[in-house]
Amino acid sequence: MVSIDYINEYIRNTIKKNTGILLELEDFAKENHVPIIHPEVAALLKVITLSHKPSNVLEIGTAIGYSSILLSSFLEPGGKIDTIDRYELMLERAKENIKKANVEHTINIIQGDALEVIKCINKQYDMIFLDAAKGQYPEFLPECLRLLKNGGLLISDNVLYKGMIANDTLVVRRKRTIVNRLRIYLDEICSTDELETSIIPIGDGVAISYKK
Ligand SMILES: C[S@@+](CC[C@H](N)C(=O)[O-])C[C@H]1O[C@@H](n2cnc3c(N)ncnc32)[C@H](O)[C@@H]1O
């Protein structure tokens, strides 16, 4: 978490709580240490998806299907989500959860290494949610830009990485490479003429980039 604890606690206590399967998955994730999006990031994604009304979404990093199930309620009618993960055990859970949520017709799971998978996709997306290996973000970027429509949104999670991105004294040695790569990623999404980017210090840091 990158925000001040009391502010974060206030936000969490104030925003609308999820119910039903999303609440079940939040409890499951907490008990089993599955790194799903933080509640305040979930709230932001809801608002963005409701206002942007995407028809085609690409998610990189499915885990147990929590964020794709969340997003699936707010798409344009008939909208679809392609979601990629390489971890078979997680995907088994995701499939069960997606079935339980009754959104199998909306969410298409693709198993494989995301970098290899996205290179083979030839489809345009209104929104891309990037939530996979943080050290790979710079490599994902050119493919995300290729797959994102003009006027589309690229949303990247964990970009402030427990505060380490902004403060060298917080960087733990074994995370140095990830930190360097995330900094390169943030520099790129903030400096390219193709995108307009905002970095928001909620959860573990979220970047929202609009493709011009
Ligand atoms: C933070 S979790 C995703 C959480 C999910 N978006 C949610 O909030 O419900 C990250 C997932 O990305 C997957 N992942 C990481 N790097 C990947 C890669 N290169 N290719 C495919 N999956 C990857 C991991 O297996 C993990 O399940």
Side-chain angles (χ1 to χ4, degrees), residues 25 34-38 45 59-69 83-88 90-91 110-117 129-134 136-137 140 157-158:
L25 295 186
V34 180
I36 61 169
I37 47 170
H38 295 213
L45 278 186
E59 177 182 67
I60 305 179
T62 317
I64 55 172
Y66 174 80
S67 48
S68 49
I69 293 171
T83 181
I84 309 168
D85 208 295
R86 60 184 171 196
Y87 189 5
E88 197 171 346
M90 274 298 180
L91 287 183
I110 307 170
Q111 186 177 347
D113 182 79
L115 202 53
E116 285 167 29
V117 171
F129 178 48
L130 181 52
D131 190 20
K134 315 306 158 200
Q136 288 187 300
Y137 278 21
F140 290 136
D157 199 18
N158 308 100

Side-chain angles (χ1 to χ4, degrees), residues 183-202:
R183 284 179 179 161
I184 289 171
Y185 179 76
L186 284 172
D187 282 346
E188 286 184 8
I189 60 174
C190 290
S191 62
T192 174
D193 288 337
E194 281 186 84
L195 299 174
E196 236 11 277
T197 294
S198 168
I199 303 170
I200 306 176
I202 58 167

